[in-house]
């Protein structure tokens, strides 16, 4: 264990392996930092959800913990007025583009957005921003699962599962800006694409955009 | 060739070029500015007119295409160099003027001074550009040859000592080039102002056998055209800078990332590369030395975000043009995972001049922390629009009122938008800020890549902020939360304000969100996108408040907050111009003969206001959009 280094997060000293990204160092030690897009195995993190900001002593600006490699004697704060404000705004922006009918969602009570809200005392029904949820056609072509893009937060977990774990490559991001979405080649329904319906992407989805049909809930139930 | 030293090889090339270009020195030359700006103004037709007229008269004169001299307001332009006269520049050319010039000046001996803009060389008869008011402030380094040399003929560049810096450098060690650039404190002209020498050094430190040199010519700011002009007008200057950089860092391969919307720049640069290769200035064993380096053009597909370093590299590698988190920086891990130098067109253009004239010469120009010059495309409500190059430290006031000659038609200055869509809007009170990387940043703007838009009292700052945000929002790649959703929410809020919607919380929310997008975005597109909003909120907050609280657009711009009205006391009754100008037939003649606008039908196109004859000026815009009471309307 001598090759481990010591860092301090929120006043707690912890020993971690050098080279590890700060986010995983914290999570492994039971310190929660909100995150959606982070993938432990990814060499160059996506850093796109902008939820995992922390303050590091000596750094002028908040940094995303998923991109920051741990350093000996690093002193980290996961909460501060500045961090809380950034995380709140990022979270509410994501919520403004997320179909919030939780009671109809198979991921209800098992949703990362709900976890973040609970951990950080944030409200799912945010009032600051207009809802800009887009309308999509539900893709329920696969046999056992379906894809509801109005719930998708573009974290990319499903794409990683599809490409790296399943080695299929049926889905990816298309379009730019506000139109960015996860889809298949030529926007075909999943069943008509090269998707093997291995369901690894469904297991990876943190918000119930990809879900098992058997878990589907009827409105209000 | 291999036995010769670089300097001897070069001298041979140069003397050949001098011979080739001076062989007919006694011949009259007509240099027509045909950069994209000139072409858009009709320069190709002017060129044809010259050729036809000269042919018809059977004169012995050569018509040559050159690049852009930076006097956009007077395009199309041509310089006539006739032996016995100083070379003289003529602007606003059309076929009548061309006919006259050929007949009177080329065939006769009357230089038609009444049509001349300036002479290019000091003389006793006619003033030069240097004697223009703007000449006092301008100092042309990288634009010096633009518009005066034939961009499509390498001999034209060689004959003026082009590539001499390269020959000189190849005689010495690569470290000397690096040392000179570091010593000169050349700061990157792409916008951020990072010292080029340090960037190059970081690349060398990353080491490895393959280092790439890339020139960022993905100029995407609306209203900016400096890089395009340089590439079209003096491509070899940029190539020479890149070759020198490659020599310094030990690179064998480089690329110019040019946006495909710049077809002329692409053509000129490709020709320049081919010609340089043919002369042994590119390729293996350059000028007989042991140094080999080659260049290739990569055409970008016109995404604004691809001007961002990591997005640019991703797009070159065939991936989506999206930024990555940094570090690693390109100097460590760039194109194809190799250390990569990425600099702007202008940055490379300075390099040959610094190597030729020395770091001390460069540092004597500009300010201690930002040496050298700044190149701006001066546009908007300013008399002398165009490409200008001034020493760093020149104030915005000098740039707008002395170089640009102020605002046209007696308009009153309101703001200057500097640094493109990611820059800021500065008010009158900030006009004495010196132009350099650090002072501008302090004032809330950025140097950016050099777009400078002047705005007058009739520009609405809310609409301006909305316009720029619409651009950045549209160009957002959509990867990160703050930029994808934050700019969209900001745009929606701004759109609401231009429609008079909002409450006392709106501005606070807009400001808060802008700051969070600035602090939280992944790349500099998102981080700088709020600048126009934050600066207008800071300097023009009363305008925002007028929109929200009074439903009034003080500049009478925002469509939802104005209406068009014909003043009864001014309307002539006998004239029907406004009626005819209206595309929606909203204007009708009342029983009493006065004209009136049917507000239901009016689309606020501004035609009637423009059409109403100056002796009446009866059409006015009112804001808030409330019609005067009927009694008043009858007067």
């Amino acid at each position: 264990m001598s090759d481990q280094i010591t860092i301090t997060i929120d006043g707690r000293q912890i020993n971690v392996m050098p080279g590890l990204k700060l986010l995983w160092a914290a999570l492994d030690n039971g310190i929660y930092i909100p995150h959606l897009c982070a993938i432990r195995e990814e060499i160059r993190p996506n850093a796109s959800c902008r939820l995992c900001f922390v303050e590091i002593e000596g750094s002028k600006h908040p940094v995303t913990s998923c991109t920051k490699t741990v350093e000996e004697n690093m002193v980290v704060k996961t909460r501060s007025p500045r961090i809380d404000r950034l995380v709140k705004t990022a979270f509410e922006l994501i919520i403004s583009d997320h179909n919030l009918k939780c009671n109809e969602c198979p991921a209800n009570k098992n949703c990362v957005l709900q976890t973040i809200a609970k951990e950080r005392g944030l409200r799912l029904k945010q009032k600051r921003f207009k809802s800009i949820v887009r309308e999509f056609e539900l893709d329920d072509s696969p046999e056992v699962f379906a894809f509801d893009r109005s719930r998708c937060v573009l974290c990319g977990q499903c794409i990683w599962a599809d490409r790296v774990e399943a080695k299929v490559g049926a889905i990816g991001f298309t379009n730019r800006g506000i139109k960015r979405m996860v889809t298949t080649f030529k926007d075909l329904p999943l069943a008509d694409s090269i998707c093997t319906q291995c369901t690894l992407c469904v297991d990876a989805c943190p918000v119930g955009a990809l879900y098992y049909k058997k878990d589907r809930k009827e409105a209000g139930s | 060739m291999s036995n010769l030293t670089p300097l001897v090889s070069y001298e041979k090339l140069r003397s050949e070029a001098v011979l080739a270009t001076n062989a007919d020195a006694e011949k009259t030359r007509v240099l027509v500015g045909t950069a994209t700006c000139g072409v858009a103004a009709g320069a190709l037709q002017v060129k044809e007119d010259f050729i036809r007229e000269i042919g018809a008269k059977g004169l012995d004169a050569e018509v040559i295409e050159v690049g852009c001299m930076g006097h956009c307001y007077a395009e199309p332009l041509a310089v006539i160099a006739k032996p016995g006269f100083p070379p003289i520049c003529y602007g606003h050319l059309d076929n009548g003027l061309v006919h006259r010039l050929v007949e009177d000046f080329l065939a006769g001996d009357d230089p038609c001074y009444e049509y001349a803009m300036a002479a290019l060389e000091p003389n006793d008869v006619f003033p030069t550009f240097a004697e223009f008011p703007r000449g006092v402030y301008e100092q042309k380094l990288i634009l010096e040859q633009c518009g005066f040399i034939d961009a499509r003929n390498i001999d034209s560049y060689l004959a003026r000592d082009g590539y001499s810096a390269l020959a000189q450098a190849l005689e010495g060690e690569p470290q000397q080039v690096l040392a000179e650039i570091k010593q000169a404190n050349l700061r990157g002209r792409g916008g951020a102002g990072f010292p080029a020498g340090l960037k190059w050094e970081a690349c060398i430190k990353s080491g490895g056998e393959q280092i790439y040199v890339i020139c960022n010519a993905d100029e995407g700011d609306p209203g900016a055209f400096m890089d395009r002009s340089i590439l079209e007008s003096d491509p070899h200057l940029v190539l020479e800078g890149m070759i020198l950089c490659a020599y310094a860092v030990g690179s064998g391969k480089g690329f110019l990332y040019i946006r495909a919307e710049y077809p002329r720049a692409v053509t000129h640069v490709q020709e320049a590369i081919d010609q340089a290769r043919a002369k042994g200035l590119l390729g293996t064993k350059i000028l007989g030395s042991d140094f080999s380096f080659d260049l290739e053009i990569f055409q970008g597909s016109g995404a604004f975000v691809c001007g961002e370093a990591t997005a640019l590299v991703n797009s070159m590698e065939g991936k989506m043009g999206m930024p990555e988190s940094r570090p690693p920086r390109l100097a460590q891990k760039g194109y194809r995972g190799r250390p990569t130098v990425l600099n702007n067109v202008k940055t490379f253009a300075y390099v040959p001049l610094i190597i030729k004239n020395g770091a001390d010469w460069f540092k004597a120009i500009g300010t201690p922390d930002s040496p050298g010059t700044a190149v701006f495309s001066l546009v908007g409500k300013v008399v002398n629009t165009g490409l200008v190059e001034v020493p760093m430290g020149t104030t915005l006031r000098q740039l707008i009122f002395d170089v640009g000659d102020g605002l046209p038609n007696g308009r009153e200055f309101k703001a200057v938008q500097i640094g493109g869509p990611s820059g800021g809007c500065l008010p009158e009170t900030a006009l004495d800020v010196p132009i350099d990387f650090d002072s501008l940043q302090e004032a809330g703007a950025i140097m950016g890549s050099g777009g400078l838009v002047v705005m007058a009292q009739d520009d609405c700052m809310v609409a301006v902020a909305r316009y720029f945000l619409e651009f950045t929002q549209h160009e957002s790649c959509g990867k990160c939360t703050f930029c994808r959703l934050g700019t969209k929410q900001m745009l929606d809020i701004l759109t609401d304000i231009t429609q008079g919607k909002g409450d006392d919380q709106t501005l606070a929310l807009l400001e808060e969100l802008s700051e969070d997008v600035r602090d939280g975005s992944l790349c500099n597109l998102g981080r700088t996108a709020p600048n126009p909003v934050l600066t207008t909120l800071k300097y023009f907050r009363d305008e925002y408040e007028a929109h929200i609280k009074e439903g009034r657009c003080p500049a009478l711009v925002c469509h939802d907050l104005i209406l068009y009205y014909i003043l009864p006391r001014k309307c002539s009754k006998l004239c029907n111009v406004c009626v005819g100008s209206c595309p929606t037939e909203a204007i009708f003649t009342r029983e009493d003969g006065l004209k009136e606008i049917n507000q239901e039908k009016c689309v606020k196109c501004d035609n009637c206001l423009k059409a109403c004859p100056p002796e009446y000026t009866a059409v006015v815009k009112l804001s808030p959009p409330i019609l005067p009471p009927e009694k008043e309307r009858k007067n």
Side-chain angles (χ1 to χ4, degrees), chain A residues 87-122:
Chain A
V87 175
K88 177 173 186 245
T89 302
F91 182 75
E92 293 187 351
L93 284 171
I94 292 170
I95 290 291
S96 77
D97 188 28
H98 175 74
N99 183 347
L100 256 189
K101 291 177 188 149
C102 293
N103 54 357
E104 292 172 26
C105 177
N108 195 9
K109 301 199 169 70
N110 190 23
C111 168
V112 173
L113 292 174
Q114 290 173 334
T115 311
I116 296 170
K118 201 173 141 221
E119 287 283 341
R120 288 293 162 107
L122 299 167

Side-chain angles (χ1 to χ4, degrees), chain B residues 248-270:
Chain B
V249 302
S251 163
K253 177 84 192 176
F255 297 89
L256 291 113
Y257 189 101
I258 309 176
R259 50 179 21 216
E261 292 98 322
Y262 284 177
R264 271 186 107 73
V266 169
T267 313
H268 288 196
V269 171
Q270 188 57 56

Side-chain angles (χ1 to χ4, degrees), chain B residues 387-635:
Chain B
L387 207 56
V388 297
E389 183 171 6
V390 291
M392 292 273 187
T394 306
T395 64
L396 286 167
R397 192 183 298 280
Q398 287 166 332
L399 187 63
I400 296 164
F401 289 95
D402 295 323
V403 178
D405 203 17
L407 284 75
N409 310 327
R411 281 194 169 95
E412 208 183 320
F413 175 87
K414 186 185 230 173
V416 54
Q417 216 277 346
I418 179 165
S422 5
C425 294
L426 302 180
E428 166 86 36
T429 50
L431 278 184
D432 293 309
V433 168
I435 296 168
D436 64 66
F437 290 104
D438 312 306
S439 307
L440 285 178
Q441 188 127 30
E442 235 163 77
I446 55 168
M447 181 76 98
S449 55
L452 204 142
V453 188
V454 180
M455 284 170 280
Q457 287 301 335
D458 54 2
D459 285 306
C460 168
M461 299 316 289
V462 183
V464 164
R466 193 196 161 278
Y467 167 80
F468 282 112
L469 213 82
E470 192 176 23
F471 178 83
T472 34
Q473 189 268 331
H474 180 75
E475 291 295 340
S476 165
C477 78
K479 181 171 176 177
C480 84
T481 302
F482 281 105
C483 188
R484 181 181 73 245
L485 299 166
T487 57
K488 169 72 179 146
Q489 293 285 1
M490 283 166 72
L491 179 64
D492 286 353
I493 296 172
L494 283 166
T495 306
D496 281 353
I497 297 175
T498 59
Q499 294 167 353
K501 295 179 208 154
D503 53 36
D504 39 342
Q505 300 298 308
T506 307
L507 292 186
L509 173 63
L510 179 62
E511 196 158 25
E512 231 173 71
L513 177 59
S514 299
E515 287 168 359
D516 288 346
V517 171
R518 178 192 65 196
D519 296 340
S521 290
L522 172 63
C523 83
N524 274 336
L525 188 150
R527 277 187 219 134
T528 56
N531 277 344
V533 182
L534 285 167
T535 47
T536 47
L537 274 171
K538 181 172 166 191
Y539 296 116
F540 302 96
R541 205 178 187 94
D542 52 330
E543 269 191 60
Y544 280 89
E545 282 166 354
H547 282 74
I548 296 174
K549 291 184 185 156
E550 304 166 40
R552 180 172 67 89
C553 174
L556 303 170
V557 171
C558 296
H559 270 192
D560 292 287
L561 303 184
I562 57 167
L563 60 75
Y564 283 78
Y565 177 61
I566 300 173
L567 293 167
R569 65 189 155 79
K570 284 194 158 188
C571 177
S572 101
K573 289 189 184 181
L574 299 172
C575 137
N576 263 322
V577 174
C578 58
V579 178
S581 77
C582 181
T584 58
E585 298 181 0
I587 305 181
F588 59 95
T589 308
R590 304 190 329 198
E591 274 178 18
D592 56 8
L594 291 168
K595 312 295 173 214
E596 190 174 321
I597 300 171
N598 179 345
Q599 298 295 335
E600 300 279 294
K601 284 188 181 174
C602 175
V603 291
K604 300 170 188 175
C605 68
D606 215 40
N607 277 6
C608 54
L609 192 145
K610 288 208 179 78
C612 185
E615 54 268 44
Y616 309 133
T617 55
V619 182
V620 292
K621 292 191 267 188
L622 300 177
S623 182
I626 302 164
L627 279 172
E630 188 61 28
K631 202 175 94 200
E632 219 171 284
R633 284 157 66 187
K634 280 192 176 139
N635 292 334

Side-chain angles (χ1 to χ4, degrees), chain B residues 154-326:
Chain B
I154 189 170
D155 284 341
S156 193
Y157 182 72
L158 278 167
R160 293 190 176 211
D161 289 341
Y163 287 109
S164 66
L166 175 63
Q168 184 190 325
L170 288 175
E171 292 280 341
E173 294 301 314
Q175 295 88 312
Q176 287 169 281
V177 176
L178 177 69
E180 203 70 36
I181 296 299
K182 268 176 75 181
Q183 172 68 20
N185 190 19
L186 170 64
R187 298 178 66 172
R189 263 29 180 200
F194 189 80
L198 294 184
K199 201 184 251 186
W200 298 9
E201 196 172 41
C203 254
I204 299 171
K205 280 186 182 147
S206 305
E209 48 207 49
Q210 180 63 353
I211 293 177
Y212 290 103
V213 173
I214 302 176
C215 174
N216 187 345
D218 191 53
E219 187 174 53
D221 295 13
F225 46 86
M226 303 76 57
D227 297 351
R228 191 202 67 215
S229 270
I230 295 169
L231 289 176
E232 287 177 357
S233 311
D234 198 2
H236 287 286
L237 184 68
V238 181
L239 297 196
E240 189 179 358
M242 291 186 73
I243 304 169
L244 281 163
C245 167
Y247 184 61
V249 302
S251 163
K253 177 84 192 176
F255 297 89
L256 291 113
Y257 189 101
I258 309 176
R259 50 179 21 216
E261 292 98 322
Y262 284 177
R264 271 186 107 73
V266 169
T267 313
H268 288 196
V269 171
Q270 188 57 56
E271 285 173 358
I273 290 174
D274 295 342
Q275 291 173 6
R277 211 181 275 139
K279 299 250 181 208
L281 293 158
L282 264 180
T284 46
K285 297 197 177 295
I286 291 174
L287 286 175
S289 71
D290 286 332
F291 170 60
S292 301
F293 176 69
D294 213 344
L295 276 170
E296 206 177 295
I297 293 176
F298 184 94
Q299 292 193 41
S301 310
F304 180 66
V305 71
C306 286
E308 200 277 343
T310 52
L312 182 146
V313 165
N314 270 343
S315 112
M316 282 182 65
E317 291 174 349
K319 299 175 192 152
M320 272 176 121
M322 287 190 178
E324 303 279 348
S325 66
R326 287 187 271 180

Side-chain angles (χ1 to χ4, degrees), chain B residues 31-184:
Chain B
L31 313 174
V32 186
T34 58
T36 299
C37 41
V39 171
L44 290 181
Q45 188 55 48
V46 166
K47 185 189 129 196
E48 292 307 315
D49 291 343
F50 266 116
I51 293 172
R52 197 189 56 244
E53 296 278 346
I54 289 169
K57 288 247 172 322
L59 297 169
D60 182 28
E62 195 179 0
V63 181
I64 300 170
E65 286 188 29
V66 294
C68 168
M69 274 191 284
H71 294 266
C72 302
Y73 58 92
E75 297 276 11
L77 282 159
V79 172
I80 298 182
K82 183 174 175 174
F85 293 89
I88 300 171
C89 178
Y90 301 86
H92 303 295
L93 292 171
D94 55 25
N95 56 1
L97 196 48
V98 169
H99 177 77
R100 172 96 191 261
L101 286 170
V102 172
E103 190 156 288
D104 290 1
F105 188 21
L106 297 189
D109 265 332
D110 172 14
C112 305
Y113 285 128
E114 62 272 37
Y115 295 110
M117 278 175 73
L120 301 185
E121 288 165 10
N123 63 84
D124 298 335
V125 282
F126 207 76
T128 63
F129 279 121
E131 288 162 80
F132 274 38
R134 69 186 262 186
V136 179
Y137 297 94
E138 271 198 292
Q139 184 171 7
K140 292 202 172 188
L141 305 183
I142 56 176
L143 296 184
E144 196 193 355
Q145 315 220 63
C146 290
F148 302 109
I149 63 169
D150 183 354
R152 311 181 74 162
N153 183 355
I154 189 170
D155 284 341
S156 193
Y157 182 72
L158 278 167
R160 293 190 176 211
D161 289 341
Y163 287 109
S164 66
L166 175 63
Q168 184 190 325
L170 288 175
E171 292 280 341
E173 294 301 314
Q175 295 88 312
Q176 287 169 281
V177 176
L178 177 69
E180 203 70 36
I181 296 299
K182 268 176 75 181
Q183 172 68 20

